[in-house]
Amino acid sequence: MNKTIFKYTIMSACLDPMKLLYVALLGFVVPIGMKVASLIHGAADSQTFEMLTGKVGVAFILMVLCLGLAGNTATQGGRGGEYLPLIFTRPIARWQYVMSKWLAITAIGGALVAVQNLLIAGIGAFYGEVTTPSALLCTVAERFLDAAIIGAAMLLTMLNKQPYFQIVAIVSFYVWMTGQTIPPVSIAGASGTNELSLMATKTLLGCSQFVSELILPTVNVYDLVNAHNINALPILAYLSTLAIYIVLSIVVINRREFFYGTN
Amino acid sequence: MSTSSLFLDFRKRNTHLISSPLMTPSTDLTAGIDSPLSQSNGFLKIRDLTKTYKGDVKALDGINLDVEKGEVVGLIGPNGAGKTTLIGCILGLLRPDSGSVLIDGKSPNSLSIKAMTGYVPERPEFEYWMNGRQFLIYHHGLSNRDPRRVQADVDEALELVELQQSSWHRRLKTYSRGMLQRLNLAQLVLGKPQLMLLDEPTLGLDPTGLHVVRKLVDSARAAGATVIINSHQLDEVERLCDRVAFMKKGRIGALETIKVSDGCDYILEIKWASGNSPEEIEASVTQACQTTGARVADLEERGARFVVRNKRAAADLLKELIIAGLSIDEAIPERTRLEHYFVSDESTDSGKS
């Protein structure tokens, strides 16, 4: 890893006041407000809350803070992408660049959502909610794992400038989001003559979640730690997908040419 | 005696003061179009380099070039000639279709070569949240320089490019075009490169900035670094470079050696008001040329074209002519000697069409 790239990537992500305002609102003010409201009224946490404090929350924060941090300039100079060639004239291997960026993005996303989760746990504890330290640690670890795989996918999207790939990446993101957000009631409760059966609903949900897991697999750390028999499949799925994204990022950046002149 | 015969007579009598504008003694054409290259042990060796872009656009078409260690070489040529592509191949940013680039016997992609290479891009992109110092500290880190030297190296680079100290801690988004270009030059020297590639280094710079580029190239030359400059500022190229390669349509059309000791001759056309007799004009011109070392290229009744060594000599010539009694109307510097490549190139093209 290149320490300079790691450090400056974090600085670049965290020194934009507008981005920080967005992250403060979406990552902290809104979920903390929702948690406090549900605690005061004795209501269960909403699905939106679960999303904002889980993997989707990591994705939202990384999309704002880190999109454009690799392969592009951090700010809009009108000719994005021209900063990278100057870096590659320096004595840095391209794989080093990819790994440094990935680690920085993972650190940013993981740390912010971990802090968010810890704050919410603290507020819950204040209102009498019981969370064990091991559960808390597992949640924090899971957020870092989420950030690692989302960061790797984002990195590949940022470095591969091919238009067709960008389209695939955007579609994949929406497919993944669908798998994260479809509430059973929205399908089972649909009105009209073609109301879905419970079996059809389950199949649809299963399909969307399966595809979603293929795109960005999840490792449930708490279940993994507390299971009597370790199920290696989620870990293998996670690690292999992560490896694919990182290796593809390195391949893409190694294959790319950089031209500084006019077209 | 008629006026014209008088001036013809002047040319006969003052042959030591007369020269042809494009046959300056400092010009030594070592290679013409497609001529063989000198067989030297070049620090930078480029052999049969070709590069084609999408749409069968041939950017480089069999480039051969040797550059010695410590040499300053200029790349000139019309837009689209392949100069920036050539620099991209030397830096390893572009992959050639065929041919080779060797720097000190190694590939440009070798990290040890990158550690000794510096580059000034024509249109750099900056991360505008940084300030000037942060930008250079960042590049110092990327250059794998000793971290204990970071403050000293960065200060030295900022002072070398004469960036005002008050701007060192300002965000880059507040910098002017010229200030950004100075910073662009400063990042070049951070790694103490042995091979410098400067793509339009004078772009956006004011006259003091031009002085900075000259100083930078001179100090690189003194340190034994090899410098390649791509620029449309022909007078600067002529002033700074030991050799100049004229590129056209992806090929090196000519390679000219410029002898530094000969200075940079150029043509100054001076026009004066009528009122002086031909004899007076002749006497004034002769006296001024003898005093300043200028040579006469053409002499007419209302003006003359002089070959002068440099701008200082041009100013001295003007002063002497005025002192000698000529009423000067205007003085116009003509093209540099490198410009004739472009001019002959255009005429060839128009002849073809």
Side-chain angles (χ1 to χ4, degrees):
Chain A
M1 187 190 73
N2 185 292
K3 285 180 189 169
T4 306
I5 291 177
F6 181 83
K7 180 182 160 190
Y8 274 78
T9 303
I10 289 178
M11 284 168 71
S12 179
C14 299
L15 288 178
D16 188 325
M18 290 310 290
K19 284 181 176 180
L20 289 178
L21 178 67
Y22 177 92
V23 169
L25 287 173
L26 192 73
F28 292 92
V29 175
V30 174
I32 288 172
M34 290 168 90
K35 181 70 184 176
V36 171
S38 59
L39 284 169
I40 288 170
H41 297 292
D45 291 331
S46 67
Q47 197 197 17
T48 312
F49 172 82
E50 295 294 347
M51 279 169 57
L52 289 178
T53 55
K55 201 171 183 177
V56 175
V58 176
F60 280 166
I61 283 180
L62 287 181
M63 275 174 65
V64 173
L65 283 187
C66 300
L67 203 62
L69 274 192
N72 275 320
T73 52
T75 49
Q76 282 67 50
R79 299 188 303 273
E82 290 187 326
Y83 193 65
L84 208 48
L86 191 56
I87 291 175
F88 287 142
T89 62
R90 299 294 183 190
I92 295 161
R94 295 190 183 189
W95 68 263
Q96 253 187 328
Y97 176 83
V98 171
M99 294 306 288
S100 309
K101 285 283 176 184
W102 172 63
L103 286 172
I105 291 170
T106 302
I108 294 164
L112 280 171
V113 183
V115 168
Q116 176 214 55
N117 282 196
L118 289 173
L119 273 174
I120 287 169
I123 292 165
F126 181 77
Y127 281 94
E129 258 188 3
V130 179
T131 313
T132 62
S134 70
L136 210 54
L137 277 175
C138 289
T139 307
V140 169
E142 204 170 302
R143 294 293 81 81
F144 273 96
L145 290 176
D146 291 342
I149 199 154
I150 294 168
M154 282 177 62
L155 199 57
L156 178 59
T157 312
M158 287 186 272
L159 295 176
N160 193 341
K161 297 289 176 192
Q162 299 287 343
Y164 66 84
F165 181 81
Q166 295 288 319
I167 293 167
V168 169
I170 291 166
V171 170
S172 302
F173 176 74
Y174 280 112
V175 169
W176 173 73
M177 280 289 287
T178 309
Q180 300 292 307
T181 57
I182 290 179
V185 69
S186 65
I187 302 171
S191 59
T193 51
N194 296 325
E195 199 165 292
L196 289 171
S197 67
L198 190 61
M199 186 57 74
T201 306
K202 276 186 175 177
T203 308
L204 270 176
L205 277 173
C207 283
S208 68
Q209 280 166 0
F210 178 75
V211 175
S212 184
E213 278 297 298
L214 280 180
I215 296 167
L216 292 172
T218 305
V219 175
N220 191 322
V221 179
Y222 187 80
D223 289 355
L224 195 72
V225 169
N226 292 290
H228 292 295
N229 298 313
I230 291 176
N231 180 8
L233 196 64
I235 302 170
L236 283 175
Y238 178 89
L239 290 177
S240 57
T241 309
L242 182 65
I244 287 169
Y245 288 147
I246 290 175
V247 169
L248 279 179
S249 299
I250 294 170
V251 169
V252 162
I253 204 69
N254 272 321
R255 283 176 56 87
R256 257 181 77 181
E257 290 188 302
F258 298 97
F259 184 63
Y260 249 124
T262 50
N263 288 321
Chain B
M1 186 184 282
S2 69
T3 306
S4 56
S5 60
L6 181 77
F7 287 122
L8 189 67
D9 191 45
F10 170 86
R11 294 184 73 87
K12 283 177 185 168
R13 282 184 282 109
N14 298 281
T15 47
H16 64 290
L17 295 175
I18 296 170
S19 68
S20 168
L22 295 179
M23 292 297 288
T24 55
S26 56
T27 302
D28 171 22
L29 284 172
T30 54
I33 294 173
D34 295 329
S35 66
L37 289 152
S38 58
Q39 299 297 313
S40 62
N41 298 317
F43 174 67
L44 168 66
K45 281 183 183 176
I46 301 170
R47 290 287 176 274
D48 303 320
L49 203 68
T50 61
K51 175 70 187 171
T52 309
Y53 291 118
K54 278 179 188 170
D56 276 345
V57 180
K58 205 153 201 171
L60 298 179
D61 187 10
I63 296 283
N64 286 288
L65 184 66
D66 279 356
V67 182
E68 298 295 335
K69 199 165 178 57
E71 200 176 10
V72 181
V73 174
L75 293 177
I76 61 168
N79 293 328
K83 304 183 295 293
T84 300
T85 300
L86 179 59
I87 287 181
C89 289
I90 296 171
L91 286 165
L93 294 174
L94 295 170
R95 277 188 299 275
D97 303 334
S98 62
S100 65
V101 176
L102 288 178
I103 302 166
D104 209 14
K106 292 178 186 168
S107 156
N109 287 311
S110 154
L111 292 187
S112 64
I113 293 300
K114 285 186 185 292
M116 59 191 269
T117 306
Y119 174 44
V120 172
E122 179 187 353
R123 296 182 303 164
E125 188 65 50
F126 296 92
E127 298 211 47
Y128 290 96
W129 60 269
M130 292 185 190
N131 63 40
R133 274 188 71 85
Q134 277 174 330
F135 177 78
L136 293 184
I137 292 169
Y138 179 47
H139 277 274
H140 192 275
L142 295 178
S143 304
N144 285 349
R145 301 284 298 168
D146 182 356
R148 290 168 299 182
R149 292 265 320 148
V150 64
Q151 299 299 332
D153 285 352
V154 165
D155 286 352
E156 190 187 332
L158 284 166
E159 278 161 13
L160 182 70
V161 299
E162 297 173 11
L163 198 64
Q164 285 180 344
Q165 202 159 354
S166 59
S167 65
W168 290 6
H169 293 92
R170 266 171 45 198
R171 290 278 174 106
L172 296 188
K173 65 182 175 186
T174 67
Y175 275 36
S176 68
R177 179 75 188 84
M179 289 164 79
L180 287 173
Q181 186 62 5
R182 282 172 193 256
L183 203 61
N184 190 15
L185 291 166
Q187 62 81 22
L188 168 81
V189 297
L190 277 177
K192 309 279 183 218
Q194 285 302 297
L195 173 63
M196 296 182 174
L197 296 132
L198 289 77
D199 201 351
E200 295 292 355
T202 57
L203 211 65
L205 290 177
D206 58 15
T208 57
L210 296 180
H211 165 70
V212 166
V213 174
R214 285 177 212 145
K215 195 170 66 172
L216 197 146
V217 173
D218 286 342
S219 60
R221 192 201 304 271
T226 305
V227 184
I228 294 178
I229 305 172
N230 169 21
S231 178
H232 287 295
Q233 296 274 340
L234 298 184
D235 52 343
E236 287 303 318
V237 170
E238 208 171 352
R239 181 194 292 256
L240 294 171
C241 298
D242 303 320
R243 279 194 301 160
V244 175
F246 174 74
M247 287 186 69
K248 186 194 171 189
K249 292 179 181 170
R251 300 177 73 88
I252 292 181
L255 204 57
E256 180 174 333
T257 301
I258 297 169
K259 291 174 184 165
V260 177
S261 58
D262 287 333
C264 294
D265 295 2
Y266 70 98
I267 306 291
L268 184 69
E269 184 178 3
I270 299 177
K271 291 181 179 173
W272 46 73
S274 57
N276 296 83
S277 69
E279 291 80 8
E280 285 171 339
I281 292 170
E282 183 192 330
S284 302
V285 166
T286 307
Q287 187 189 336
C289 285
Q290 280 170 345
T291 310
T292 62
R295 297 184 301 275
V296 180
D298 284 309
L299 182 63
E300 305 287 342
E301 189 181 352
R302 293 285 304 279
R305 293 167 71 242
F306 298 90
V307 179
V308 289
R309 300 288 296 273
N310 48 44
K311 287 172 184 170
R312 179 65 187 266
D316 288 344
L317 175 67
L318 273 172
K319 185 179 156 192
E320 288 300 325
L321 289 173
I322 292 165
I323 290 170
L326 288 181
S327 176
I328 305 295
D329 275 346
E330 59 182 344
I332 309 159
E334 282 190 10
R335 67 186 189 225
T336 64
R337 70 167 177 260
L338 292 177
E339 252 176 282
H340 77 272
Y341 285 118
F342 290 82
V343 174
S344 58
D345 188 47
E346 279 168 17
S347 55
T348 308
D349 285 349
S350 59
K352 279 177 188 168
S353 62

